[in-house]
Amino acid sequence: MTIPGRERIAWAATARGIVTMLALAVVYWLVGKAGLVFSIGAFNVSPVWPASGVALAALLMLGVSYWPGIFFGGLVLCLGMGNPPLASLGSALGGTLEPVLGALLLKRWGFSARLERVQDVVALSVGAALGSSLVGASAATVSLVLWGGLEWTDVAKTIQVWWLGDGIGIAVVTPALLLLRQQRPAGFRWEALALGGCTLLGGLMVSQAGLGGDASWYRATFFFFPLAVWAALRFSPRGVAFVILLFTLCSVWSAEVGLGLSSESTVVAEARVRTLLLLQLAITVNATTGLLLAAVSAGRRDATRQVELLATAVRGLNEGVVINEVTPEGPRVVFANEAFRAMVDLEQEALLRRSPLEHMGDMDPETRQRLEAALREATPFRGQVLLKHRAGSRVHSEVQVSPVRDAGGAVTHLVSIHRDVSATQELSARLMAAERVAAVGTLAAGVGHEIQNPLAYLELNLTGATRSLGKGRAGAAEALSHLLDAQEGAERIRLIVEDLRKFSREGSDGRERVDLREVAAPALRMVRHALRDRAKLVEDYSAIPPVLGSGARLGQVLLNLLVNAVQAVPPGQAEQHTVRIRTLTAPDGQAQLEVSDTGRGIAPEVLPHIFEPFFTTKSHEEGTGLGLSICQQIVRAHGGEILVRSEPGQGSVFTILLPAAPPELPRAAEPAHRPVEQAASPARPARRGRILIVDDEPRLAQSMRLLLAPNHDVVTTTRGSEALEWVASGQRFDLVVCDLQMPGTTGMDIYDWLREQAPELARRLVFMSGGAFTPAASAFIRSVPNQVLEKPVRPEVLLATIDAALEPAPAGT
């Protein structure tokens, strides 16, 4: 039973504690009587003293407060040997001081009774077996000199015998008693019996060697070491301790029987005791070595178990783990767990000794540069990267690279932990798209009003043109005026539709140089009508550096901030409130955009939470609580930050800071494809060509035919399959204008077929799209080099695009 802390002193003072002390005194006295068998001289100094090992083990297990039991047991033992009272008292005090000092030293050094660490074996051997036993032997010898009649000339010899005898007792008996309480390892029963039998046999061999003369003792001690190694490797420190104890008992017994120490004269007995002392000293050295080997073996087993546990945990992690060895050529993969191999769909052999960069997909130049620098310089890295799947797809991964250093501080390995965030990325993209649609939906009434005005204007002018044409030549000029006005109304509708498309388009994450003032124009058109009866709109544009980013994403941020500003201002007080949009260059060179209002402001207790997802003070009809969170996410993804300051009743100011784009846009940062907004007219008229128009909307196809017919030969169809049949049958076309998304055979199918069967015509294919509404269509637009015209297409843009595509004249197909 082990009693912790200060409770041991109180426990020792109880009746049960006193009984335990008395029992300890009796045990110490009995073991001491057994040790006196080997005593020499008039003062009964023994070269083998197992009582010291019993005393130290007792104080380590029970607590130092039980020292009175050791003292009384030693005092009774000394008085029983006929020593003077004061000498007996001094010997008892020395015998008590020895285990007390040893126990205190071991406790201070963090000693563990399991003896499974090298420092524990060293502490027991040096601190207790050599250190404290020397103190106890010296104190007891001095008391014999002062009150027992021991001559000063015999002090050194007496201390030596006493010291080594006590040290042997601690080294041999204490480990056995401490480890006796530990749980016996399962299995090894027959092996344990075999070890015990070999130990007894070794002891008998030592006994027989002892009968052959003093020199045979030293050779016989070598029988012990293989047994200690066996016990250390197979049975931990517990096995070594009991082998030591058993072998020592056999040696002591054989010495008593074989040498007859008790029957010799004093001179002969002293010579024989020195022989026994040397034998026990050799066994003690071997025992200490065995315990050290057992501690090292136990530590190795623990380390192996920890490594196996770590390896099992790493293999079973859902996150991908890659361990890279740092070499002069750069990091090389030495391990990849199953989760990472599943992310890239590669076997271990295909990953080993390869650079980790070989498994990375396309990413923005800044992130790739940071990652390459971290791998090259063996420094930490954290960010989002793209991994290449063997099937050709891309896996979004959040990666954290951490260096592993050796004892000297040098980096030897890099550990990369990958977390597949593809699903999260897709969900985030959908949330962003939903928030864009929600922002536009908030302004739906105003957008509808903006469309209704030019639509009514368009209808009235078309009706007027029809009536004017009914008048014959006299109404031609009037009809032309009506048609021009109708064209202006159609252009206004086209711009509104284009703004709606910008704020609801998916997949527009390409990085390019963006002027925030250009992003502001469509956002302001979206909110202008909703703002009319709430506040005056003030536009304050100053010089601002371009930024590297996605215009659609930054437009979403600006639209959301403008919607919030509109909602913060009460209706009906337009002359009293202002919504201001301002651009300028920040003092540190960053692009700065501010959206401010003079509305109700934000309460101080609410302000710290406004960027938290789903936090909102609006009603469910006005907001979802995602807008500002997504805005912050977009701005941070662009390397910037969004700040806010607000006071209740004084309005709010939201500030966006974005780093300026580099002077020369890196080639990899350019968007893979950007739809054509305007094409320049060729310097000279293009040649006449045969053009195939494929669109599932018959009226649109007919309108384009009428537009192109004066300059080109035009063939139209509403089915993609029919167009492919015409090309397959040998009909020649110089150019194909094709809708991207159609029922049945899509424009993407037509392109894939032409690329295989008529590659020259595939290069002369111009797409038209009302919006890439599927991820596949968005990815297709980014991957092909062909022009993409967004509906509604202005006539001059269509004509210029076709003329440019027909120059130079292609070879016949």
mmCIF file of all heavy atoms in Angstrom, residues 619-634:
data_model
loop_
_atom_site.group_PDB
_atom_site.id
_atom_site.type_symbol
_atom_site.label_atom_id
_atom_site.label_comp_id
_atom_site.label_asym_id
_atom_site.label_seq_id
_atom_site.Cartn_x
_atom_site.Cartn_y
_atom_site.Cartn_z
ATOM 1 N N SER A 619 -34.394 40.029 -40.084
ATOM 2 C CA SER A 619 -35.426 38.995 -40.178
ATOM 3 C C SER A 619 -35.030 37.985 -41.243
ATOM 4 O O SER A 619 -34.123 38.210 -42.043
ATOM 5 C CB SER A 619 -36.772 39.630 -40.549
ATOM 6 O OG SER A 619 -36.691 40.212 -41.849
ATOM 7 N N HIS A 620 -35.707 36.832 -41.243
ATOM 8 C CA HIS A 620 -35.397 35.804 -42.228
ATOM 9 C C HIS A 620 -35.655 36.286 -43.656
ATOM 10 O O HIS A 620 -35.045 35.794 -44.606
ATOM 11 C CB HIS A 620 -36.234 34.553 -41.948
ATOM 12 C CG HIS A 620 -35.885 33.896 -40.647
ATOM 13 N ND1 HIS A 620 -34.652 33.347 -40.417
ATOM 14 C CD2 HIS A 620 -36.611 33.712 -39.514
ATOM 15 C CE1 HIS A 620 -34.628 32.843 -39.188
ATOM 16 N NE2 HIS A 620 -35.808 33.049 -38.622
ATOM 17 N N GLU A 621 -36.569 37.249 -43.810
ATOM 18 C CA GLU A 621 -36.838 37.748 -45.149
ATOM 19 C C GLU A 621 -35.713 38.638 -45.660
ATOM 20 O O GLU A 621 -35.525 38.787 -46.861
ATOM 21 C CB GLU A 621 -38.165 38.546 -45.169
ATOM 22 C CG GLU A 621 -39.418 37.697 -44.968
ATOM 23 C CD GLU A 621 -39.618 37.286 -43.519
ATOM 24 O OE1 GLU A 621 -38.932 37.858 -42.640
ATOM 25 O OE2 GLU A 621 -40.439 36.388 -43.267
ATOM 26 N N GLU A 622 -34.953 39.260 -44.747
ATOM 27 C CA GLU A 622 -33.933 40.218 -45.163
ATOM 28 C C GLU A 622 -32.545 39.605 -45.297
ATOM 29 O O GLU A 622 -31.729 40.086 -46.073
ATOM 30 C CB GLU A 622 -33.860 41.372 -44.159
ATOM 31 C CG GLU A 622 -35.035 42.318 -44.235
ATOM 32 C CD GLU A 622 -34.822 43.495 -43.305
ATOM 33 O OE1 GLU A 622 -34.462 43.267 -42.128
ATOM 34 O OE2 GLU A 622 -34.995 44.638 -43.740
ATOM 35 N N GLY A 623 -32.224 38.558 -44.531
ATOM 36 C CA GLY A 623 -30.861 38.033 -44.586
ATOM 37 C C GLY A 623 -30.736 36.654 -44.007
ATOM 38 O O GLY A 623 -31.583 36.198 -43.237
ATOM 39 N N THR A 624 -29.621 35.972 -44.408
ATOM 40 C CA THR A 624 -29.349 34.604 -43.943
ATOM 41 C C THR A 624 -28.255 34.567 -42.901
ATOM 42 O O THR A 624 -28.031 33.525 -42.282
ATOM 43 C CB THR A 624 -28.915 33.733 -45.133
ATOM 44 O OG1 THR A 624 -27.708 34.276 -45.691
ATOM 45 C CG2 THR A 624 -29.985 33.700 -46.203
ATOM 46 N N GLY A 625 -27.529 35.654 -42.704
ATOM 47 C CA GLY A 625 -26.404 35.632 -41.783
ATOM 48 C C GLY A 625 -25.125 35.112 -42.396
ATOM 49 O O GLY A 625 -24.130 34.932 -41.695
ATOM 50 N N LEU A 626 -25.130 34.892 -43.700
ATOM 51 C CA LEU A 626 -23.934 34.391 -44.383
ATOM 52 C C LEU A 626 -23.205 35.477 -45.161
ATOM 53 O O LEU A 626 -22.050 35.294 -45.529
ATOM 54 C CB LEU A 626 -24.304 33.259 -45.341
ATOM 55 C CG LEU A 626 -24.622 31.906 -44.719
ATOM 56 C CD1 LEU A 626 -25.152 30.957 -45.777
ATOM 57 C CD2 LEU A 626 -23.392 31.321 -44.051
ATOM 58 N N GLY A 627 -23.880 36.583 -45.444
ATOM 59 C CA GLY A 627 -23.323 37.576 -46.359
ATOM 60 C C GLY A 627 -21.968 38.088 -45.924
ATOM 61 O O GLY A 627 -20.979 38.002 -46.669
ATOM 62 N N LEU A 628 -21.853 38.652 -44.718
ATOM 63 C CA LEU A 628 -20.594 39.230 -44.279
ATOM 64 C C LEU A 628 -19.539 38.162 -44.043
ATOM 65 O O LEU A 628 -18.343 38.414 -44.256
ATOM 66 C CB LEU A 628 -20.822 40.052 -43.008
ATOM 67 C CG LEU A 628 -21.568 41.378 -43.207
ATOM 68 C CD1 LEU A 628 -21.796 42.067 -41.875
ATOM 69 C CD2 LEU A 628 -20.785 42.296 -44.146
ATOM 70 N N SER A 629 -19.954 36.986 -43.607
ATOM 71 C CA SER A 629 -18.995 35.894 -43.430
ATOM 72 C C SER A 629 -18.357 35.515 -44.758
ATOM 73 O O SER A 629 -17.131 35.338 -44.855
ATOM 74 C CB SER A 629 -19.689 34.681 -42.811
ATOM 75 O OG SER A 629 -18.818 33.566 -42.758
ATOM 76 N N ILE A 630 -19.176 35.408 -45.790
ATOM 77 C CA ILE A 630 -18.648 35.073 -47.115
ATOM 78 C C ILE A 630 -17.809 36.217 -47.662
ATOM 79 O O ILE A 630 -16.771 36.002 -48.292
ATOM 80 C CB ILE A 630 -19.803 34.714 -48.058
ATOM 81 C CG1 ILE A 630 -20.438 33.379 -47.623
ATOM 82 C CG2 ILE A 630 -19.338 34.637 -49.497
ATOM 83 C CD1 ILE A 630 -21.636 32.963 -48.432
ATOM 84 N N CYS A 631 -18.236 37.450 -47.410
ATOM 85 C CA CYS A 631 -17.432 38.596 -47.839
ATOM 86 C C CYS A 631 -16.037 38.548 -47.228
ATOM 87 O O CYS A 631 -15.027 38.756 -47.912
ATOM 88 C CB CYS A 631 -18.118 39.909 -47.445
ATOM 89 S SG CYS A 631 -19.584 40.308 -48.426
ATOM 90 N N GLN A 632 -15.966 38.265 -45.949
ATOM 91 C CA GLN A 632 -14.659 38.168 -45.293
ATOM 92 C C GLN A 632 -13.829 37.029 -45.874
ATOM 93 O O GLN A 632 -12.619 37.161 -46.099
ATOM 94 C CB GLN A 632 -14.848 37.971 -43.786
ATOM 95 C CG GLN A 632 -13.552 37.990 -42.998
ATOM 96 C CD GLN A 632 -13.786 37.698 -41.535
ATOM 97 O OE1 GLN A 632 -14.300 36.643 -41.170
ATOM 98 N NE2 GLN A 632 -13.423 38.637 -40.667
ATOM 99 N N GLN A 633 -14.491 35.917 -46.134
ATOM 100 C CA GLN A 633 -13.788 34.781 -46.718
ATOM 101 C C GLN A 633 -13.218 35.122 -48.089
ATOM 102 O O GLN A 633 -12.064 34.779 -48.409
ATOM 103 C CB GLN A 633 -14.738 33.591 -46.817
ATOM 104 C CG GLN A 633 -14.109 32.341 -47.420
ATOM 105 C CD GLN A 633 -15.113 31.217 -47.534
ATOM 106 O OE1 GLN A 633 -16.186 31.264 -46.936
ATOM 107 N NE2 GLN A 633 -14.773 30.204 -48.305
ATOM 108 N N ILE A 634 -14.003 35.809 -48.931
ATOM 109 C CA ILE A 634 -13.531 36.178 -50.276
ATOM 110 C C ILE A 634 -12.369 37.153 -50.184
ATOM 111 O O ILE A 634 -11.357 37.015 -50.873
ATOM 112 C CB ILE A 634 -14.694 36.770 -51.087
ATOM 113 C CG1 ILE A 634 -15.761 35.706 -51.348
ATOM 114 C CG2 ILE A 634 -14.188 37.355 -52.394
ATOM 115 C CD1 ILE A 634 -17.012 36.249 -52.012
#
